[in-house]
Amino acid sequence: MHMRLMLLGGGNALGQALIRLGAEENIGFLAPRPPDQGWDAASLTQLLDDTRPDALINLAFYFDWFQRADVDVARLETQERAVERLAELCQYHQILLLQPSSYQVFDGARATAYSEKDEPQPLGLRGQALWRIEQSVRAACPRHVLLRFGWLLDDSKDGILGRFLAAAQTREELLLADDRRGNPCPVDDVARVMLSVLKQLDCAAPLWGTYHYGAHEATTALTLGQAVLAEARAFRSFTVNEPTAQAHAACADAADEPQHAVLACRKILNTFGIKPRAWRSGLPSLLDRFYRHV
């Protein structure tokens, strides 16, 4: 790797996965520790003035965007301003910006897979914030790659997977939608995709723009939950035998969460040669790492 890579958010689950994968290929990252109050416009300005990397991977707010259960509007507003400033700084210093986003920018009203050409219509506050962040990145920093991911699963205790497994150990019933569809994305697979993109950008290929990635075999929330529990029984026993089917419309988060969240991945395949991997194959190692942490 010829580029000097900076990783904001090296301490979170996706940042750690990226560092692990990079180490296997002798690819290192500058991974600065965030200030006590978190990254903001002032601290980012100082950081990039001092370091001047060639490329920056922005996972600074990964947990809030992809894993946190609740939405803190004030935090999202602060993060929006920080990313807007970050994009301006990257343009000023001619730094390539790799920025993650999410299926949540779509409303889920259509049953067919969303491509990069489809117009976002986010439902919830988080999706709306991510859409505004995408727009500010495009406007401020032409040399960017925006990666929208599907249902991202990681090994953080308080993330989506952690909350599901904790509930399965204590509740008598777990309700999951059997008519809500998406692409599960184990965190190691997401790290693979990001590193593959960086490698090709390192060859000075001007492949800027927006790309979708979701693991192979779109599925329902119910089927995903069944598969996770089947694998997790190798590590724990659960009070729940099987999740119970529920309609998307009856879910507590139906107003915010897209019912149909399948992403079409043709563009990232044709541009970078990145093939979707089966999400089921990533569950054993993901759960093994999760239970070694808890």
Side-chain angles (χ1 to χ4, degrees), residues 210-224:
T210 303
Y211 299 89
H212 288 177
Y213 182 79
H216 181 63
E217 187 196 348
T219 191
T220 66
L222 178 65
T223 300
L224 174 60

Side-chain angles (χ1 to χ4, degrees), residues 104-290:
Q104 293 184 45
V105 300
F106 298 112
D107 63 8
R110 56 181 289 176
T112 54
Y114 285 95
S115 80
E116 294 83 353
K117 295 180 180 179
D118 290 315
E119 185 68 22
Q121 295 284 343
L123 295 175
L125 294 172
R126 186 154 28 201
Q128 291 164 12
L130 288 172
W131 173 227
R132 290 192 296 269
I133 287 168
E134 284 191 15
Q135 291 173 296
S136 69
V137 167
R138 290 190 189 95
C141 182
R143 295 175 73 243
H144 69 264
V145 173
L146 279 158
L147 290 173
R148 292 178 182 148
F149 294 109
W151 296 341
L152 211 155
L153 304 175
D154 70 21
D155 53 326
S156 54
K157 179 181 178 181
D158 299 322
I160 293 170
L161 180 67
R163 295 194 300 273
F164 172 77
L165 292 170
Q169 283 193 265
T170 58
R171 296 184 189 173
E172 296 297 325
E173 185 179 49
L174 271 180
L175 300 173
L176 294 175
D178 61 352
D179 58 348
R180 177 183 292 180
R181 293 179 59 78
N183 305 93
C185 295
V187 68
D188 286 344
D189 192 27
V190 171
R192 172 189 70 94
V193 171
M194 298 183 81
L195 198 61
S196 297
V197 168
L198 288 167
K199 286 179 185 176
Q200 295 197 45
L201 296 176
D202 188 47
C203 300
L207 305 174
W208 322 124
T210 303
Y211 299 89
H212 288 177
Y213 182 79
H216 181 63
E217 187 196 348
T219 191
T220 66
L222 178 65
T223 300
L224 174 60
Q226 291 169 337
V228 168
L229 280 186
E231 290 287 348
R233 286 195 175 93
F235 303 93
R236 291 288 191 279
S237 58
F238 299 100
T239 56
V240 171
N241 184 33
E242 288 289 338
T244 302
Q246 182 184 40
H248 166 81
C251 296
D253 61 353
D256 299 318
E257 183 70 15
Q259 179 176 3
H260 301 289
V262 178
L263 298 178
C265 304
R266 187 182 302 267
K267 183 180 176 183
I268 201 168
L269 172 62
N270 292 341
T271 305
F272 292 101
I274 296 173
K275 297 180 179 180
R277 287 185 179 172
W279 57 266
R280 292 176 187 271
S281 65
L283 290 183
S285 61
L286 176 61
L287 288 165
D288 177 69
R289 197 165 56 247
F290 175 83

